């Protein structure tokens, strides 16, 4: 399947998406999983080439119907346990 391309999304692509991207990269590294992660904004994220979109629940509602890849909604970007659980669940699902 190759290295998963993970897009983290917020309103403008340079604030909370950067925090989320950094946390996902740390999680992947801690579990020795290679990923490619980048930030995007809510208005253009569905046009970007990626395997999955990580986004807040509020913004996820805006893109679910037009996204061509799985959309994983995060309730709290600061909740490292939630981010880790959802990140690892997605990465493990790619192994099936």
């Amino acid at each position: 399947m190759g290295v998963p391309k993970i897009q983290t999304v917020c309103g403008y692509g340079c604030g909370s998406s950067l925090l989320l991207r950094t946390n996902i990269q740390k999680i992947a590294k801690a579990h020795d999983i290679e990923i490619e992660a980048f930030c995007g904004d809510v208005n253009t994220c569905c046009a970007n080439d990626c395997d999955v979109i990580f986004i807040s629940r509020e913004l996820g509602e805006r893109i679910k119907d037009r996204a061509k890849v799985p959309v994983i909604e995060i309730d709290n970007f600061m909740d490292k346990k939630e981010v880790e659980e959802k990140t690892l669940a997605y990465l493990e699902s790619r192994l099936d």
Side-chain angles (χ1 to χ4, degrees), residues 41-91:
D41 67 87
V42 72
N43 293 319
T44 62
C45 66
C46 291
N48 295 334
D49 179 33
C50 64
D51 297 309
V52 64
I53 296 171
F54 280 75
I55 191 168
S56 70
R57 185 161 310 279
E58 299 81 24
L59 295 178
E61 295 298 320
R62 292 175 49 186
I63 68 161
K64 270 199 254 183
D65 294 337
R66 56 190 174 98
K68 296 179 180 105
V69 297
V71 175
I72 298 178
E73 296 176 343
I74 304 290
D75 292 312
N76 180 355
F77 284 10
M78 299 301 289
D79 183 346
K80 291 184 180 183
K81 183 179 179 188
E82 177 191 8
V83 174
E84 182 171 30
E85 286 174 357
K86 291 183 176 179
T87 299
L88 293 176
Y90 168 74
L91 293 171

Side-chain angles (χ1 to χ4, degrees), residues 21-35 80 83-85 87-88 91-92:
R21 184 193 79 195
T22 301
N23 286 337
I24 289 173
Q25 288 172 322
K26 287 178 183 176
I27 291 162
K29 185 175 182 178
H31 292 272
D32 201 29
I33 301 170
E34 184 180 358
I35 65 166
K80 291 184 180 183
V83 174
E84 182 171 30
E85 286 174 357
T87 299
L88 293 176
L91 293 171
E92 289 169 6

